[in-house]
Amino acid sequence: MPQPHRPTRPARPPRPQRARRGGAPDRRRGKDRPRWGVRLAAGLAVAVLGSGAIGHAVMTGLDTGIERVDPFKDMKNRPQAGHGLNFLLVGTDGRDKITPADKSAYRLGGAPCHCTDTVMLVHLSADRERASVVSLPRDSYAELPEHRDESSGKQHGPHPVKLNAAYAEGGPQLTVRTVEHMTRVKIDHYLEVDFASFMKTVDAMGGVEICTAKALHDQNTGLDLLPGSHRLSGGQALQYVRSRHVDGAADLGRMQRQQRFVAALIKQATGGGVLLNPVKFKEVSSTLLGSVRADRGFGSEQMLTLGQALRDFTPSSSEFASVPIGNPSYAVKGIGSTVKWDEPKASKLFEALRLDRPLAPAAPGRQSASPPQRQPAVPVDVPPGQIRVQVENGTRIDGLGGRVDTALRATGFDTTRSPGNGASRDVKRTVIAYDPRWDRSARTVSTALPGSELRAVAGQGRTVLVIAGADYRKVVPVRPEDPHQGRFGVVTGDQVICGT
């Protein structure tokens, strides 16, 4: 049962982001790469890989700006290769290279740690019809193999750390070794992109549309969004993917928002004309690849081949998961609180990647061929199943109350199934009467009944009253903003993007 709640304070409109980004990124040292832009390198990479309609001539030469690293040098005892293709996508903390103006604009204060802030494992299926994106928490408990410290040259034996420390001690190679050891998934390609490239790429794509069912406000990052749909510029997108103080979920909530952004980025790339416009594609690709760090085997030829295979890629082709967590506050002496994985569940997750199996099962009743076109469900703050609704017919239209009750129940509301007749039978506009303590529940009902009038009634209690008026046409499907994620915590891209 939802608890009484106070009305949400309206958030201020997001401030326009300045086009100025400061100086060109320093490409000399990998550990100094700026931090935040690469959180969503997965989405940027998929956008590049979806370039099936772009000719070979456009692709040629785009990889000349890629800084090369060799994360697989002298690696031994690696996992067996499975089916499909696996990318490790990382972002590093390098805010010491960010200009004072940009630090102030995007609230990037504090000292850098020269470590990975985000790690994503992306699996492209062998048939190129599915992408699985798995977020690995940066504070995951990890055990580093024997290695030589990249900074000091000192030889280290195996020891426990947080996952994001692997990069600080041994760069891309130790990061790949550690992730392969933890997941038993063989990495085929390594990609690392910087902060400035992220913002510029989002801007080059014309921004990315994000939907939120509740106000998002984070004083640390400057994020300030009202409920609804927003087209984020590069700077606003940076704030969105950085924020971890908008709810009680901290880093885990931030990873969910990052995954929503990747899904929205895929939608923008595949449906916004980026991949079908050679000029736009080259602009976006050049912006991204101008500061990417990648292994020597990843270049324009690989992108073109994959792009041709992924020409029909859509948000519904992507699935997003986070590693199952056993203990989110696992204390380790000398390290502090770490995130301990649920090993049995995590093993099954990574086994599915190795065997090239979908992480998200097919939705019940979904047809494999020519599925029916349904109106996308709109995300809402309060799950409809938690909202009790009584329907009354406010007109002289026979059976209207029953039709509204059935339609609301079909999209998940807990209706009484006993619609009645209202005191007035001349209601023109549908009314939603609610107790102010349950205002969020009322807003969820009003989303399902667009154009209805919200009417606060003190002392009414938790049941929301819907008085159907002559203007009623249909109920819009709604869904919780955070949908049920199944055994692996999986959602597909079409579940988390804005409805169209």
Side-chain angles (χ1 to χ4, degrees):
M1 176 184 302
Q3 297 299 312
H5 39 259
R6 293 174 295 179
T8 303
R9 178 187 63 81
R12 297 185 301 275
R15 295 178 180 176
Q17 300 296 329
R18 297 181 299 169
R20 182 177 180 273
R21 298 286 184 254
D26 187 341
R27 300 176 186 159
R28 291 173 296 177
R29 296 191 306 165
K31 64 183 181 180
D32 288 336
R33 311 297 294 178
R35 167 181 187 177
W36 299 110
V38 285
R39 294 179 174 284
L40 302 168
L44 301 180
V46 171
V48 171
L49 298 181
S51 58
I54 308 302
H56 184 277
V58 176
M59 297 295 296
T60 301
L62 284 182
D63 57 349
T64 56
I66 300 177
E67 182 182 351
R68 297 297 179 180
V69 295
D70 192 359
F72 310 120
K73 183 180 179 181
D74 300 327
M75 287 183 62
K76 301 177 181 178
N77 302 318
R78 301 186 67 192
Q80 273 191 324
H83 301 287
L85 202 61
N86 299 309
F87 292 80
L88 186 64
L89 301 136
V90 304
T92 60
D93 185 330
R95 63 186 112 173
D96 53 338
K97 298 298 180 181
I98 300 173
T99 66
D102 283 345
K103 278 188 177 181
S104 175
Y106 307 119
R107 305 192 185 184
L108 295 167
C113 71
H114 301 303
C115 53
T116 54
D117 183 69
T118 294
V119 182
M120 286 182 174
L121 184 58
V122 178
H123 173 80
L124 297 178
S125 63
D127 60 12
R128 301 298 185 256
E129 293 184 358
R130 183 184 69 258
S132 304
V133 181
V134 180
S135 297
L136 311 183
R138 64 178 184 173
D139 292 337
S140 296
Y141 173 84
E143 294 184 3
L144 298 186
E146 183 178 354
H147 65 279
R148 185 177 300 277
D149 191 295
E150 191 175 68
S151 300
S152 66
K154 182 180 179 181
Q155 189 69 26
H156 291 288
H159 61 278
V161 294
K162 294 181 180 181
L163 178 58
N164 66 344
Y167 190 96
E169 293 194 26
Q173 186 182 56
L174 186 59
T175 302
V176 170
R177 288 180 64 193
T178 302
V179 171
E180 285 193 345
H181 175 72
M182 296 173 73
T183 65
R184 305 311 301 165
V185 173
K186 186 175 182 180
I187 306 301
D188 298 297
H189 292 293
Y190 174 90
L191 293 177
E192 182 184 316
V193 188
D194 71 21
F195 150 81
S197 175
F198 168 75
M199 291 194 294
K200 291 177 181 178
T201 302
V202 172
D203 286 335
M205 294 179 69
V208 174
E209 187 181 22
I210 287 293
C211 293
T212 176
K214 55 189 174 185
L216 299 179
H217 177 67
D218 188 339
Q219 291 185 339
N220 289 353
T221 65
L223 179 71
D224 210 346
L225 297 179
L226 289 165
S229 176
H230 305 270
R231 181 161 293 274
L232 305 184
S233 67
Q236 293 167 328
L238 183 68
Q239 294 172 318
Y240 180 81
V241 300
R242 284 182 57 215
S243 293
R244 61 188 298 267
H245 297 289
V246 298
D247 51 35
D251 279 333
L252 298 181
R254 177 171 59 177
M255 286 194 301
Q256 287 184 337
R257 284 185 289 278
Q258 292 168 2
Q259 291 172 352
R260 288 194 191 103
F261 192 86
V262 173
L265 200 60
I266 293 171
K267 178 185 177 184
Q268 176 71 8
T270 57
V274 172
L275 304 181
L276 300 178
N277 184 328
V279 175
K280 174 66 69 173
F281 173 78
K282 188 166 187 177
E283 178 188 0
V284 172
S285 300
S286 297
T287 301
L288 171 62
L289 298 182
S291 56
V292 71
R293 303 182 79 216
D295 63 273
R296 299 182 187 279
F298 183 79
S300 59
E301 291 294 332
Q302 287 71 32
M303 288 191 292
L304 181 60
T305 300
L306 288 170
Q308 290 169 339
L310 295 172
R311 59 186 178 272
D312 296 323
F313 207 73
T314 66
S316 62
S317 307
S318 58
E319 53 185 11
F320 299 88
S322 300
V323 178
I325 304 303
N327 185 349
S329 302
Y330 180 68
V332 180
K333 185 177 181 180
I335 299 175
S337 179
T338 67
V339 176
K340 185 74 170 176
W341 295 358
D342 183 320
E343 293 298 339
K345 290 182 180 179
S347 294
K348 291 180 180 178
L349 171 67
F350 296 120
E351 180 183 27
L353 292 186
R354 290 193 297 272
L355 297 178
D356 200 24
R357 294 174 178 168
L359 304 181
R366 179 179 293 176
Q367 300 177 8
S368 58
S370 301
Q373 297 297 315
R374 294 183 300 175
Q375 181 178 359
V378 179
V380 291
D381 187 10
V382 180
Q386 297 180 10
I387 303 173
R388 186 70 167 170
V389 178
Q390 171 65 48
V391 178
E392 290 184 355
N393 185 354
T395 74
R396 300 184 184 279
I397 303 171
D398 290 340
L400 179 61
R403 293 202 302 274
V404 174
D405 183 282
T406 299
L408 287 171
R409 191 166 64 251
T411 198
F413 289 96
D414 178 23
T415 67
T416 63
R417 304 188 183 211
S418 301
N421 290 322
S424 171
R425 306 301 297 275
D426 296 312
V427 176
K428 304 298 184 185
R429 181 184 177 191
T430 298
V431 173
I432 299 173
Y434 66 98
D435 190 309
R437 294 179 298 167
W438 280 273
D439 65 299
R440 289 167 51 218
S441 295
R443 287 199 299 272
T444 291
V445 179
S446 70
T447 300
L449 293 167
S452 54
E453 175 190 346
L454 281 168
R455 184 178 298 171
V457 179
Q460 178 172 297
R462 66 178 293 261
T463 299
V464 176
L465 175 63
V466 172
I467 305 173
D471 65 335
Y472 171 79
R473 294 295 179 267
K474 65 178 181 178
V475 167
V476 173
V478 297
R479 61 168 173 80
E481 185 170 41
D482 295 316
H484 175 67
Q485 299 182 333
R487 62 172 181 158
F488 290 143
V490 181
V491 294
T492 54
D494 56 330
Q495 289 180 289
V496 293
I497 60 173
C498 300
T500 55

